[in-house]
Amino acid sequence: MASQKIAILSVWDKTGLLDLAKGLEKHGVRLLASGGTAKMLRESNFAVEDISAITKAPEMLAGRVKTLHPAVHAGILARNQESDEKDLADQKIDKVDYVICNLYPFQSTVAKIGVTIPEAVEEIDIGGVTLIRAAAKNHARVTIVSDVEDYPSFLNELDDNNGSVSEPVRQKFALKAFEHTADYDTAISGFFRSRWASDGVQQVSLRYGTNPHQKPAAAYVSGGNLPFKVLCGSPGYVNLLDALNSWPLVKELSAALDYPAAASFKHVSPAGAAIGVPLNDVERKVYMVDDIAGIETSGLAQAYARARGADRMSSFGDMIALSHEVDTPTAKIISREVSDGVIAPGYTAEALEILRKKKGGKYLVLQMDPEYDPPATETRSVFGITLSQHRNDAQISPQSSFSTTITPKDASLPDPAVRDLTVATIALKFTQSNSVCYALNGQIIGLGAGQQSRIHCTRLAGDKADNWFMRFHERALNLKWKKGTKRPDKSNAIDMLCSGVIPKSGIEKEDYEKNFEEVPTPFTAEEREAWLSELKGVAVSSDAFFPFIDNVFRAARSGVKYIAAPTGSQNDQACFDTAEQLGIIFVEQPLRLFHH
């Protein structure tokens, strides 16, 4: 067998090729090359041999077959062991020490406008990918260089190690080679997916990305079928982000508490979430569903009425998630609200007919496979960098998540408190961090999401909870609306009245007052304080620990009786002591639940 080291060169991108060959020649390396690579080296007076010198077979099929031969791949894949040495000797094959290879420009070809499938097919490299993968597989002995940017460091390595390459460098080059072929195959499958995959089965085309100028956009799975079907409308990128965050929320809520569940989702955080606890007459009026026929027998409709009604301002234009088959009462609520779409495991025929009429037939209706179980690892790309992590599959349950009461030591949690802490905590799992959630009666009543400071989350959520409760005041319940006032205008006017931000003068005041036959008297500070003092039994959960007692003070002002949060802050004890002094039961929730 030959003692001279051998390099196989087969490159599309010939940048730096001559300098590389010069460096290899300096170390006495035998050069074997294919096609245009051999031609360029020969024209530059390098002692290069065609691959056919070892295969004893000519290039054929217009260059499609050049390196696919046992004499090439046995030489690359052979290990330093006796049985491999014998096989090589029997077949008179020499070991290959270096493989220099890069691939046909598939990505740049398919990026051209109007490229045809035959044009794309001709840029699918077969022999090059096989060379790269074989050499990378046998990196314990063979060096694979697949990036022209690595030529200088490769030659420096030969100079520093008397013609050899150290193991760490071989490993680094092999990793880059595997990534190179993976990216190449991803580009190929992406191109053919866009041409051949059944739209709505393995992939769905989106109207645009996060913003209208971000085109094209698509959602797809790399194997099998999408777990949802588009029954009506055309989804956008943000629609799917909201749908695929809100669906697991309601699925987990329903599984944990054995009720139908609903979520009103906006910009990748819930505006509201609830289970189907029965509505009383006052709640139906506050949530604007007192005229919905059959709502008293539909737990799902009651769940969505609560989810939408908790924060109507934030829910405007929501994506709706529903845990159970959508019935007629639920569809009737959705039909008259401003909403972008709905995702649910199914729809009755009548409910689907109602929803398909919304937005002139363009309302987004998604049907989700309730048995879909996503992969354990999830990835995302940010600024060209891929991040991966184990999916947050932690389970929140009434039985196990709120079993450790910190203060008072002998306190016990009533069932409604455990239920509401469960609702709040599961909601946080799908809310942009930092986040704090207030819950009562099986529903979110205030959620502060995406704030950099914990106290700002607590204040924001508390202010929303206060606003929610002010809507139950007799003055807010008995407003005299001018005929023809639209539901969004009513919601906005109620929000201004209950938040205490009624405009004092000018056209803004006129715009507010035009909604009423009788303009309501603003709440005084004393009236607000007196009414809010009746808000009691509220549960609060936090996605991370409370670092300062100001959070506990603010929660107490909105009727909070129960707090669940992870522990670990240096200021834990002060928070526990403050809670106990205020008559609040503090429960350890063992999981941090950041969501980004």
Side-chain angles (χ1 to χ4, degrees), residues 38-264:
K39 182 175 183 291
M40 181 176 179
L41 292 175
R42 189 170 290 113
E43 289 174 350
S44 299
N45 298 317
F46 284 97
V48 61
E49 300 172 72
D50 291 322
I51 292 291
S52 58
I54 60 171
T55 64
K56 309 304 180 187
E59 293 184 10
M60 62 183 70
L61 306 181
R64 282 191 168 197
V65 178
K66 297 189 286 283
T67 61
L68 298 171
H69 194 279
V72 172
H73 290 285
I76 295 172
L77 289 165
R79 297 156 293 185
N80 292 325
Q81 61 185 45
E82 186 176 344
S83 59
D84 286 6
E85 300 281 2
K86 182 178 185 304
D87 286 342
L88 293 182
D90 289 345
Q91 300 300 321
K92 298 181 173 57
I93 295 173
D94 293 325
K95 286 182 179 177
V96 173
D97 302 277
Y98 314 110
V99 173
I100 317 298
C101 184
N102 56 61
L103 305 175
Y104 294 168
F106 183 85
Q107 291 96 323
S108 59
T109 297
V110 298
K112 297 175 183 176
I113 296 174
V115 66
T116 66
I117 288 179
E119 288 171 336
V121 164
E122 286 307 311
E123 299 303 328
I124 298 175
D125 204 317
I126 304 299
V129 171
T130 309
L131 286 173
I132 290 173
R133 288 184 65 84
K137 175 177 180 176
N138 203 28
H139 62 271
R141 185 185 63 78
V142 179
T143 303
I144 171 63
V145 183
S146 58
D147 185 348
V148 297
E149 298 294 330
D150 289 329
Y151 291 176
S153 61
F154 168 59
L155 293 176
N156 288 337
E157 184 77 4
L158 294 181
D159 291 341
D160 294 342
N161 293 284
N162 195 27
S164 297
V165 178
S166 63
E167 183 178 27
V169 172
R170 292 198 307 275
Q171 291 171 343
K172 181 182 76 172
F173 288 168
L175 171 59
K176 182 173 283 190
F178 286 130
E179 290 172 336
H180 183 39
T181 57
D183 290 343
Y184 196 73
D185 286 338
T186 297
I188 294 170
S189 61
F191 173 78
F192 287 105
R193 186 185 304 111
S194 69
R195 301 299 181 97
W196 293 340
S198 299
D199 197 43
V201 178
Q202 189 179 356
Q203 73 159 9
V204 59
S205 299
L206 306 181
R207 296 194 308 275
Y208 48 78
T210 306
N211 299 292
H213 64 274
Q214 291 176 265
K215 298 178 182 179
Y220 63 88
V221 289
S222 57
N225 297 330
L226 288 167
F228 62 84
K229 297 178 182 178
V230 181
L231 303 184
C232 186
S234 177
Y237 189 91
V238 174
N239 293 147
L240 285 187
L241 285 177
D242 285 342
L244 298 175
N245 273 280
S246 59
W247 164 252
L249 191 167
V250 298
K251 183 179 180 181
E252 290 189 28
L253 266 184
S254 182
L257 295 169
D258 199 24
Y259 276 85
S264 170

Side-chain angles (χ1 to χ4, degrees), residues 228 243-244 246-247 319-322 341-345 347 366-368:
F228 62 84
L244 298 175
S246 59
W247 164 252
M319 189 73 198
I320 301 163
L322 301 164
V342 58
I343 184 169
Y347 303 83
L366 302 176
Q367 183 174 2
M368 185 69 187

Side-chain angles (χ1 to χ4, degrees), residues 558-581:
S558 292
V560 169
K561 177 66 176 178
Y562 312 98
I563 292 177
T567 59
S569 169
Q570 293 181 346
N571 209 33
D572 272 352
Q573 193 58 51
C575 291
F576 303 156
D577 294 344
T578 302
E580 188 161 15
Q581 291 168 17

